[in-house]
Amino acid sequence: MSPQTPPHTTASTPLRTATTLARQLGAPGPGTSIHLGADLTDAGAHPAAWRTSGSQGAQLFDPERLDALVATAQRGLLDLVAFDDAFSLQPHARGVRGRLDAALVAARLAPRSSGIGLVATIDTTHTEPFHVSKALATIDHVSRGRAAWQVSWSTDEAAASAFRREPAQDRADAIAEADEATDVVGRLWDSWEDDAEIRDAATGRFVDRDKLHHVDHEGIRFAVKGPSITPRPPQGRPPVVVRASDDASIDLAGRRADVVRVHATTPDEARDARAAVLDAARRAGRDPRDVRVLVDAFVVLADDDAAARARLDLLQDLQGVEWETGSLTHVGTPARLAATIAGWSEVGATDGFHLRPASLSTDLTLVVDRVVPALQAAGVFRTSYPGTTLRETLGLARPVNVYAASA
Amino acid sequence: MTSPRKQVHLGVHFPGVNSTTVWTEPDSGSQIDFSSFEHLARRAEDARLDFFFLAEGLRLREHKGKVFDLDVVGRPDTLPVLAALAAVTDRIGLAGTINTTFNEPWELARQFATLDVLSGGRAAWNLVTSSDAFTGANFRRGGYLAHADRYARAGEVVEVARALWDSWDDDAVLADAATGEFLRPGAVRRVEHHGAHADVEGTFTTPRGPQGHPVLFQAGDSAQGRDFAAQTADVVFSMHSTFDAGRTFYDDVKGRLPALGRARDSLKILPAVTVVLGDSADDAEERARVIRRQQVSGPGAIAFVEQVWGRDLTSYDPDGPLPLVDPDVEGASITRGRVRHVADPRPVVAQWRDLAAANGWSIRDLVIAVTTRGGFVGTPAHVADEIDRYVQQDASDGFILVPHLTPHGLDDVLGTVVPLLQERGSFRTEYEGATLRDHLGLAHPDAIASAERAIAG
Ligand SMILES: Cc1cc2nc3c(=O)[nH]c(=O)nc-3n(C[C@H](O)[C@H](O)[C@H](O)COP(=O)(O)O)c2cc1C
């Protein structure tokens, strides 16, 4: 692992003052790269994206299309790409309908990519923590340390009736279960110490069984004995991603998340959201420096603002309704998006952005070919991956094993 | 024109988490690193094999209350490994063992549909039914399933999975940009099933894979298991790898098909088999002896007899005589998480004592003798002859090759025996189709369904 050379900004005096202030507030300093993710769900964030030319609506489930998207994101040195998932079919009449299992998609993309993180969404309401743990550990093994888990929970009847274990849970209950599941999944990752496999031919022992641990979880909702059947993943614990929007999910994020996605439309909103998440982390006894907060940014790009606006108008006409995103929405040039990203980051409003290209076929390419170079020229974004794992890219330490620590 | 030879079907089994796998050799590689999986899958594809196969066990085996540490321990999750292999292979089938007791049909159906889509029609599901409480302790549902119910649940899980796969037409994705219809109207239908083991209702999420249904393997041996295979499976993974036992099993299972309206060749029977090659018969025998001693270490031999004696025997010398102490009938389940169990150990112990006395065997000699099963040992020409003989004479439809070394253990077999089978016209020299169903000569499920309708009508 080569240490990252910090790209320095040539900040003007007011900017430097803001940065210093932000640093005192526990905000990210200028010495580190901002973090950029990209969402590769469906044909893009806009529900009509699949209908625009070049979006390959009929090839939406082809792995080669996904390989190409990941290659693009990787060319732009993005931190990660994320795939949404759910157990119910998208209800809308005119958007994309149909989903592939996100964990298997991430695994399929791993051997043909490098550097970039692969984030799979997995539900905690209707799944077994034991299966979730080994699936993510395995994506981390096949990607050699580039897996991450976006935790989701379901409160909809449609998903509940696919399992009918019990009626749909309310939100508080589902988030409480997500919290419990995330805890257990993390301990299952730790249930093998890193050096448990000894292959000691002299004594005939393949493992040192004192370094394998029952997790012995006895909760209200489930019990899990352990240890995992899968050795500890390369990252120790693949990063956990949580989308935080209200007190309950912010609390969950503070307790369990390494990467937190928030919605914000202004730097002030972003700063408040970030502060709330870091407070929650502190309350949970964690070091807030171990958490990266990313603002969801919806983007429609073109060479000039009018052309970008026209692209959005076309999408809206196709869909027949206004596009409501609830977070920063950039309709304009790549240069202006780069300025926004750099500006928000430099005032300490956020650690970076989770980009939601309106149309993957158009906007992701423009992000990589136009926005990223502008950010690199401004000295705020990396020019190479700092290591090989997602944790290294995110600047997050490999976690100490809870069982090794207590031994 | 001569009648075409019956074709051999071959799969490769990734080295197992058991004593067949030798890990003490210097060139024994990682059972976790993806490069090991990639090596075996690519080698097998280069040799035009039908499929790559992964086993599964959902709890680490324990012995005397602790994790059993003498064999390889640990493996990655089945389906993500197969999905990753889909990225580095093009044609070979990708078969994964997944338990029907500790998984839900909705989730399984999506995972296998996804694997089939991502691999271009190469997915197979080996259905296993272990349902013990020991394994269940890792799951929220626990070990709630009575042994007698294991196939009832498996049957229902498969029934629901098939209904879910069939709820999307092959051409359901229309993606008509002009009209905004992403799905063809009427091409995706709701599924409703309310049964004792599965209660499922809703519109399925995942497009139908190229194979319609993944190929279904089954690996149960009881009468119930054989009935289940005859009703449900496309392939039986069997452990009857000697010629006579193979033929008996083959006749038994294939004999169950006509009553179910199924053709004999719609179900393939593939025993697991090990292969040891040598330059001469003697050379191969000697290599096989060496491998057997590597597979049964001294501590491994003691642990094996402890399973039958039901008590701690670590004070005994594995190279010495059998324990004189009697088996502890109460302690008979000191090993957990294995498929094999002994009901009453006393007759077994008596028989083993006679065997050891007659042959002058130590504990380790005895364990080597009683755990040696079929398997082909000889020159490549001999092994090719044997494989072909079994298949032409209906002792099997082919084999699942089980290596003893990770990941190079089958390099020699794939490089020497397979070409000989190709020379004699018993094994393909090129893939003829794109999907695993094509490789195995299995019909697409739509064709099967219409044939069944024709029989019923
Ligand atoms: C050749 C063979 C391979 C098997 N592999 C597995 C396996 O990988 N994982 C598993 O849980 N069970 C495995 N089993 C167990 C069977 O699925 C089944 O649960 C067991 O044989 C009990 O069913 P039965 O009573 O019908 O034989 C295997 C069985 C056989 C015969």
Side-chain angles (χ1 to χ4, degrees):
Chain A
M1 171 182 138
S2 61
Q4 188 182 331
T5 356
H8 279 283
T9 54
T10 46
S12 63
T13 307
L15 248 183
R16 196 180 298 126
T17 312
T19 310
T20 312
L21 205 107
R23 235 189 0 271
Q24 286 162 357
L25 294 168
T32 47
S33 173
I34 59 163
H35 300 285
L36 292 178
D39 209 282
L40 300 191
T41 305
D42 297 344
H46 196 285
W50 68 272
R51 298 175 65 182
T52 57
S53 73
S55 64
Q56 299 178 290
Q59 283 80 50
L60 220 62
F61 305 107
D62 284 3
E64 289 74 20
R65 185 189 75 97
L66 297 169
D67 278 332
L69 290 170
V70 173
T72 301
Q74 181 178 314
R75 179 157 54 79
L77 303 174
L78 303 194
D79 293 65
L80 53 90
V81 290
F83 299 90
D84 215 340
D85 199 2
F87 283 123
S88 49
L89 187 65
Q90 298 92 328
H92 44 242
R94 299 166 83 82
V96 167
R97 302 189 80 194
R99 309 175 189 275
L100 299 178
D101 181 274
L104 296 183
V105 166
R108 162 62 184 74
L109 294 168
R112 294 203 197 164
S113 57
S114 64
I116 193 151
L118 301 165
V119 186
T121 304
I122 307 180
D123 173 277
T124 54
T125 310
H126 300 294
T127 54
E128 292 282 358
F130 193 83
H131 290 318
V132 173
S133 168
K134 68 184 163 52
L136 287 157
T138 301
I139 302 168
D140 209 43
H141 282 293
V142 300
S143 66
R144 301 191 166 91
R146 294 181 291 122
W149 174 24
Q150 179 157 273
V151 178
S152 70
W153 51 87
S154 25
T155 53
D156 60 318
E157 269 308 326
S161 63
F163 295 85
R164 196 47 77 198
R165 208 174 264 129
E166 54 207 26
Q169 281 167 290
D170 67 30
R171 185 175 164 83
D173 208 30
I175 291 179
E177 183 164 10
D179 183 60
E180 185 176 345
T182 313
D183 173 38
V184 170
V185 166
R187 286 197 280 130
L188 285 165
W189 287 330
D190 283 354
S191 66
W192 286 62
E193 293 186 37
D194 291 319
D195 50 357
E197 187 180 312
I198 51 171
R199 294 188 178 232
D200 184 24
T203 58
R205 291 177 311 138
F206 185 81
V207 288
D208 177 351
R209 57 191 173 193
D210 293 336
K211 295 188 171 178
L212 299 179
H213 304 274
H214 289 134
V215 302
D216 278 324
H217 176 77
E218 300 265 2
I220 317 163
R221 297 173 184 84
F222 50 80
V224 179
K225 182 73 183 171
S228 177
I229 58 165
T230 305
R232 196 164 191 244
Q235 294 183 97
R237 293 180 173 216
V240 168
V241 182
V242 169
R243 289 166 286 196
S245 58
D246 59 2
D247 287 349
S249 51
I250 288 172
D251 212 50
L252 172 69
R255 291 156 66 87
R256 307 289 176 202
D258 304 288
V259 175
V260 184
R261 285 173 55 188
V262 297
H263 278 188
T265 56
T266 65
D268 282 344
E269 277 180 31
R271 194 183 286 110
D272 289 350
R274 184 167 187 278
V277 167
L278 299 188
D279 269 351
R282 258 183 230 106
R283 277 200 308 278
R286 297 175 63 203
D287 186 337
R289 286 171 301 187
D290 294 342
V291 181
R292 302 287 170 268
V293 181
L294 307 181
V295 173
D296 269 26
F298 294 80
V299 301
V300 185
L301 298 173
D303 278 339
D304 58 68
D305 287 349
R309 171 51 58 189
R311 283 195 52 225
L312 179 58
D313 287 346
L314 171 68
L315 289 167
Q316 293 196 154
D317 285 351
L318 287 170
Q319 197 64 13
V321 290
E322 193 81 0
W323 193 32
E324 293 190 15
T325 65
S327 196
L328 172 65
T329 305
H330 174 89
V331 183
T333 63
R336 224 161 40 74
L337 177 58
T340 302
I341 289 174
W344 286 39
S345 305
E346 279 169 9
V347 299
T350 183
D351 300 310
F353 292 85
H354 186 62
L355 300 172
R356 313 283 311 272
S359 158
L360 290 175
S361 57
T362 306
D363 297 303
L364 181 66
T365 314
L366 287 170
V367 163
V368 166
D369 291 338
R370 308 281 298 281
V371 179
V372 164
L375 292 169
Q376 288 169 328
V380 296
F381 192 63
R382 71 180 65 88
T383 52
S384 65
Y385 283 114
T388 58
T389 71
L390 177 56
R391 279 191 173 274
E392 287 170 310
T393 306
L394 292 167
L396 297 172
R398 192 172 186 274
V400 171
N401 188 318
V402 293
Y403 296 105
S406 67
Chain B
M1 206 179 134
T2 55
S3 71
R5 282 183 82 74
K6 188 179 167 192
Q7 290 296 296
V8 173
H9 295 285
L10 293 175
V12 290
H13 190 297
F14 189 80
V17 176
N18 54 47
S19 61
T20 301
T21 305
V22 171
W23 55 265
T24 44
E25 283 282 282
D27 63 343
S28 99
S30 171
Q31 81 287 7
I32 301 297
D33 197 278
F34 184 62
S35 60
S36 293
F37 297 89
E38 185 173 351
H39 175 88
L40 181 55
R42 291 177 96 129
R43 277 298 167 102
E45 183 168 79
D46 288 345
R48 306 291 181 259
L49 261 64
D50 293 74
F51 59 88
F52 170 97
F53 182 96
L54 286 178
E56 177 195 69
L58 293 172
R59 175 120 187 228
L60 296 186
R61 291 153 49 195
E62 291 186 7
H63 185 69
K64 296 188 287 188
K66 292 193 130 189
V67 169
F68 187 70
D69 56 0
L70 302 177
D71 292 339
V72 167
V73 183
R75 53 181 143 203
D77 194 14
T78 301
L79 292 175
V81 170
L82 296 180
L85 287 173
V88 296
T89 56
D90 292 317
R91 290 298 185 89
I92 192 163
L94 301 167
T97 301
I98 296 287
N99 184 293
T100 52
T101 304
F102 303 112
N103 287 284
E104 295 300 318
W106 188 276
E107 192 179 10
L108 285 181
R110 308 176 79 230
Q111 290 169 333
F112 277 102
T114 298
L115 181 63
D116 208 43
V117 168
L118 292 178
S119 64
R122 300 188 281 139
W125 172 11
N126 178 36
L127 290 136
V128 295
T129 57
S130 331
S131 58
D132 53 285
F134 176 72
T135 307
N138 280 333
F139 298 99
R140 58 165 89 215
R141 311 205 105 185
Y144 71 102
L145 196 58
H147 186 65
D149 285 340
R150 69 199 188 286
Y151 283 110
R153 176 166 169 103
E156 232 182 286
V157 168
V158 173
E159 182 187 339
V160 173
R162 284 182 167 153
L164 295 171
W165 295 322
D166 289 344
S167 72
W168 282 60
D169 287 345
D170 289 322
D171 59 356
V173 176
L174 181 65
D176 185 336
T179 63
E181 269 166 348
F182 188 78
L183 297 181
R184 189 181 301 281
V188 175
R189 295 162 294 273
R190 277 179 72 79
V191 170
E192 198 171 333
H193 171 102
H194 304 286
H197 296 284
D199 193 326
V200 169
E201 197 180 325
T203 310
F204 191 51
T205 56
T206 306
R208 202 161 192 254
Q211 296 188 107
H213 303 168
V215 174
L216 296 186
F217 286 44
Q218 198 272 345
D221 198 46
S222 59
Q224 254 185 307
R226 294 175 186 202
D227 275 336
F228 182 76
Q231 280 153 15
T232 313
D234 303 302
V235 174
V236 175
F237 177 24
S238 111
M239 54 191 183
H240 303 286
S241 60
T242 59
F243 189 82
D244 291 339
R247 271 188 77 143
T248 306
F249 182 79
Y250 193 94
D251 282 346
D252 177 302
V253 175
K254 296 248 179 176
R256 295 170 199 245
L257 296 174
L260 297 161
R262 291 187 65 182
R264 263 175 88 84
D265 64 357
S266 68
L267 178 64
K268 308 294 180 202
I269 296 181
L270 306 179
V273 74
T274 55
V275 178
V276 180
L277 297 177
D279 295 335
S280 64
D282 286 348
D283 178 40
E285 287 293 347
E286 180 50 30
R287 290 195 58 209
R289 261 192 301 278
V290 171
I291 291 168
R292 291 299 293 133
R293 285 194 84 74
Q294 290 174 324
Q295 288 169 328
V296 181
S297 67
I302 295 294
F304 186 86
V305 291
E306 281 177 340
Q307 286 177 58
V308 173
W309 259 262
R311 57 167 83 233
D312 186 286
L313 300 172
T314 38
S315 60
Y316 286 83
D317 177 3
D319 295 316
L322 264 59
L324 291 173
V325 63
D326 280 325
D328 176 353
V329 181
E330 301 297 298
S333 63
I334 59 172
T335 298
R336 314 189 67 185
R338 281 178 196 267
V339 178
R340 236 176 296 122
H341 286 292
V342 182
D344 181 357
R346 283 165 300 195
V348 178
V349 166
Q351 192 202 352
W352 286 2
R353 284 188 173 136
D354 292 347
L355 268 172
N359 295 289
W361 283 342
S362 67
I363 292 175
R364 193 171 172 196
D365 295 332
L366 174 95
V367 174
I368 288 172
V370 300
T371 58
T372 299
R373 266 180 293 281
F376 297 126
V377 179
T379 62
H382 169 76
V383 173
D385 279 347
E386 283 294 273
I387 289 176
D388 204 29
R389 179 172 73 96
Y390 275 57
V391 171
Q392 302 308 329
Q393 297 183 22
D394 286 352
S396 80
D397 293 310
F399 291 94
I400 299 183
L401 305 169
V402 183
H404 75 283
L405 285 180
T406 314
H408 297 281
L410 289 172
D411 289 359
D412 55 354
V413 179
L414 296 172
T416 61
V417 177
V418 172
L420 293 172
L421 288 167
Q422 290 169 328
E423 265 172 37
R424 66 178 65 198
S426 296
F427 192 72
R428 74 177 68 80
T429 52
E430 209 31 85
Y431 288 113
E432 281 152 28
T435 70
L436 178 57
R437 282 188 181 277
D438 293 336
H439 307 340
L440 291 169
L442 299 169
H444 192 274
D446 293 336
I448 298 167
S450 53
E452 277 168 6
R453 274 195 299 276
I455 288 167

